[in-house]
Amino acid sequence: MDTVTETVPQRPEPVMTPDSAFFWEAVTRGELLIKQCSVCLKLWHPPRPMCPECHAIAMVPVRMSGRGTVYSWTMPIHPFPFGFAAPPIVALVDLEEGPRLVSNVVGVDPRKMRNGVRVEVAFEPTAGGKAVPVFRLAEGETL
Ligand SMILES: [Zn+2]
């Protein structure tokens, strides 16, 4: 009944806003950028026009290492999200620089998935030629 394969990108396009365009454009280039407040130096995600801490509007994108840790995760099954051939692992990933992202963890057996696992960013193409950041097990990490 379902002929979707993993070789043809099926992920829906990210929703770009004026505040988030830099993030998605960087992801499509294979970079993970997070905006940092130029005044208090706090890193903020998701992107916003003003620093919620000190209300400065001067914020600059900073490249992240891509390394992080899974804070928590779930697997939406009924129904699983549009654009996925199989239920994805949806995770809260704490980047080593501090910000927390909602993303997917790929390439792992969900029966072995656990909180606290070390992950690193990867980039998966979308159906329209852009990309989204996902995470896979960090080098040397085991489940
Ligand atoms: Zn600030």
Side-chain angles (χ1 to χ4, degrees):
M1 90 185 174
D2 192 349
T3 57
V4 172
T5 68
E6 297 293 335
T7 57
V8 177
Q10 298 293 320
R11 286 180 177 270
E13 293 302 288
V15 177
M16 291 206 196
T17 66
D19 291 325
S20 71
F22 81 94
F23 177 84
W24 296 114
E25 288 164 6
V27 163
T28 299
R29 296 192 307 268
E31 293 182 296
L32 187 61
L33 301 183
I34 298 288
K35 275 203 176 165
Q36 181 178 42
C37 176
S38 298
V39 175
C40 74
L41 304 183
K42 195 126 181 172
L43 292 159
W44 293 107
H45 189 80
R48 58 200 82 193
M50 176 186 288
C51 174
E53 186 78 18
C54 74
H55 302 155
I57 56 171
M59 301 181 78
V60 294
V62 176
R63 187 169 185 176
M64 300 289 104
S65 69
R67 293 185 294 271
T69 305
V70 172
Y71 173 76
S72 184
W73 65 280
T74 189
M75 212 167 132
I77 294 176
H78 298 292
F80 57 82
F82 172 79
F84 289 83
I89 293 175
V90 179
L92 297 174
V93 175
D94 289 340
L95 298 178
E96 67 178 8
E97 293 89 352
R100 178 172 290 169
L101 275 67
V102 178
S103 186
N104 296 140
V105 175
V106 299
V108 303
D109 182 346
R111 293 169 298 184
K112 296 180 178 177
M113 186 62 190
R114 60 179 168 82
N115 293 345
V117 69
R118 291 182 303 111
V119 290
E120 62 189 16
V121 75
F123 301 95
E124 286 201 347
T126 60
K130 294 188 172 60
V132 295
V134 297
F135 288 82
R136 61 186 174 211
L137 284 189
E139 193 174 324
E141 180 66 293
T142 56
L143 288 177

